[in-house]
């Protein structure tokens, strides 16, 4: 991801006189606090000057970087990809007792990924189904998810982190990626498409002002 350490590597690369320094940014830009905005704008200008090329993973991410940062407008897009020839995993037996249509979430379980949006949306579903959630998690956020899960009539299976998660997608009938902040290109979308599993995902481009809000309130 295009985190802070990557930015410093750009400077280090030029100081080491590397022939070509390419910065790849995988994430949407965050909104800076006013007190450090000027400092970051100067830093971004230097990054632009020290980089031979800046790449990102999607058109939406590119447009946000151009409009929200000082990295310039010469940013090229190379979309994420996956290996389509080797994706089978030996450990591919279904780890839950599949009884009904399965709605699945695969990814890091954190507030910005909007897993609570998925869980709260279940109250509007009348058709029999079950939910499977896989991925490493923020402990506090996971506890809040389990709290709002309790009154739910739909079975929700928390499987935690699974090394074979990519292959288990084939047992899921619908993949949901309900991100609410800074989702530039969810790889799970491609992995689901590889298994011919339909995807429901949010159109999430911009950083929202309530990013620090740890509540599970969902705006209509």
């Amino acid at each position: 991801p295009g985190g802070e350490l990557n930015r410093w590597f750009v400077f280090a690369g030029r100081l080491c006189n590397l022939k070509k320094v390419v910065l790849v940014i995988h994430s949407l830009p965050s909104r800076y606090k006013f007190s450090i905005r000027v400092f970051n704008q100067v830093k971004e200008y230097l990054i632009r000057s020290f980089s031979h090329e800046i790449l990102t993973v999607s058109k939406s991410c590119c447009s946000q970087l151009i409009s929200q940062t000082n990295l310039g407008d010469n940013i090229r897009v190379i979309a994420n990809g996956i290996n389509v020839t080797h994706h089978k995993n030996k450990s591919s037996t279904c780890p839950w007792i599949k009884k009904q249509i399965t709605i699945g979430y695969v990814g890091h379980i954190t507030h910005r990924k909007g897993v609570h949006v998925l869980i709260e949306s279940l109250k509007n579903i009348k058709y029999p189904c079950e939910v499977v959630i896989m991925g490493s998690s923020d402990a506090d956020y996971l506890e809040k998810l389990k709290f709002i899960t309790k009154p739910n009539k739909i079975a929700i299976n928390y499987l935690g982190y699974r090394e074979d998660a990519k292959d288990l997608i084939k047992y899921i009938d619908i993949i949901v990626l309900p991100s609410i902040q800074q989702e530039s290109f969810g790889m799970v979308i491609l992995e689901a498409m590889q298994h011919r599993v339909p995807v429901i995902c949010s159109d999430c481009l911009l950083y929202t002002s309530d990013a620090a809000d740890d509540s599970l309130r969902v705006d209509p």
Side-chain angles (χ1 to χ4, degrees), residues 82-143:
I82 55 176
N83 189 336
V84 297
T85 60
H86 180 72
H87 69 277
K88 292 185 178 180
N89 192 303
K90 293 181 180 179
S91 176
S92 59
T93 57
C94 186
W96 69 93
I97 300 174
K98 185 175 173 63
K99 297 179 180 179
Q100 304 175 65
I101 288 178
T102 303
I103 299 172
Y105 169 85
V106 180
H108 189 50
I109 302 170
T110 186
H111 184 267
R112 76 173 184 86
K113 289 288 191 176
V115 185
H116 57 282
V117 177
L118 168 60
I119 293 175
E120 293 192 2
S121 71
L122 299 177
K123 62 187 178 185
N124 300 313
I125 297 178
K126 308 301 181 184
Y127 198 88
C129 64
E130 59 189 4
V131 175
V132 170
I133 296 176
M134 288 184 273
S136 57
S137 60
D138 176 298
D140 292 337
Y141 182 64
L142 183 61
E143 286 301 313

Side-chain angles (χ1 to χ4, degrees), residues 51-67:
S51 301
H52 292 93
E53 190 169 17
I54 298 177
L55 306 177
T56 191
V57 296
S58 68
K59 291 179 180 179
S60 61
C61 194
C62 180
S63 64
Q64 290 300 308
L65 289 170
I66 291 172
S67 62

Side-chain angles (χ1 to χ4, degrees), residues 2-219:
E4 194 66 23
L5 186 60
N6 284 20
R7 268 75 164 168
W8 291 112
F9 275 138
V10 169
F11 298 121
R14 290 303 293 267
L15 289 173
C16 292
N17 201 29
L18 295 181
K19 292 182 178 180
K20 192 168 187 179
V21 177
V22 179
L23 175 64
V24 182
I25 301 177
H26 286 248
S27 54
L28 292 170
S30 296
R31 183 174 295 167
Y32 298 127
K33 293 181 180 179
F34 181 79
S35 58
I36 61 171
R37 188 173 300 169
V38 174
F39 169 77
N40 280 290
Q41 288 176 340
V42 172
K43 185 176 66 174
E44 288 169 347
Y45 174 79
L46 291 174
I47 289 170
R48 181 177 70 185
S49 302
F50 277 45
S51 301
H52 292 93
E53 190 169 17
I54 298 177
L55 306 177
T56 191
V57 296
S58 68
K59 291 179 180 179
S60 61
C61 194
C62 180
S63 64
Q64 290 300 308
L65 289 170
I66 291 172
S67 62
Q68 303 294 327
T69 73
N70 199 25
L71 293 173
D73 56 5
N74 192 25
I75 299 175
R76 192 157 63 95
V77 175
I78 298 180
N80 282 330
I82 55 176
N83 189 336
V84 297
T85 60
H86 180 72
H87 69 277
K88 292 185 178 180
N89 192 303
K90 293 181 180 179
S91 176
S92 59
T93 57
C94 186
W96 69 93
I97 300 174
K98 185 175 173 63
K99 297 179 180 179
Q100 304 175 65
I101 288 178
T102 303
I103 299 172
Y105 169 85
V106 180
H108 189 50
I109 302 170
T110 186
H111 184 267
R112 76 173 184 86
K113 289 288 191 176
V115 185
H116 57 282
V117 177
L118 168 60
I119 293 175
E120 293 192 2
S121 71
L122 299 177
K123 62 187 178 185
N124 300 313
I125 297 178
K126 308 301 181 184
Y127 198 88
C129 64
E130 59 189 4
V131 175
V132 170
I133 296 176
M134 288 184 273
S136 57
S137 60
D138 176 298
D140 292 337
Y141 182 64
L142 183 61
E143 286 301 313
K144 292 176 182 179
L145 290 181
K146 291 182 177 179
F147 177 77
I148 64 173
T149 296
K150 291 178 181 178
N152 215 306
K153 295 180 180 179
I154 295 176
I156 301 178
N157 303 294
Y158 291 93
L159 301 184
Y161 173 76
R162 302 275 311 196
E163 288 190 356
D164 57 349
K166 292 180 183 179
D167 200 52
L168 295 179
I169 290 174
K170 65 187 176 187
Y171 297 111
I172 297 172
D173 299 295
I174 303 170
I175 282 286
V176 179
L177 183 61
S179 302
I180 59 174
Q181 297 162 3
Q182 295 174 287
E183 187 70 73
S184 59
F185 195 129
M187 292 295 291
V188 69
I189 296 174
L190 293 182
E191 292 159 356
M193 292 170 66
Q194 186 175 17
H195 288 289
R196 299 179 183 272
V197 175
V199 179
I200 299 173
C201 63
S202 53
D203 183 7
C204 178
L205 301 180
L206 294 172
Y207 179 92
T208 57
S209 59
D210 60 347
D213 183 9
D214 62 353
S215 70
L216 294 179
R217 174 180 57 82
V218 180
D219 293 326

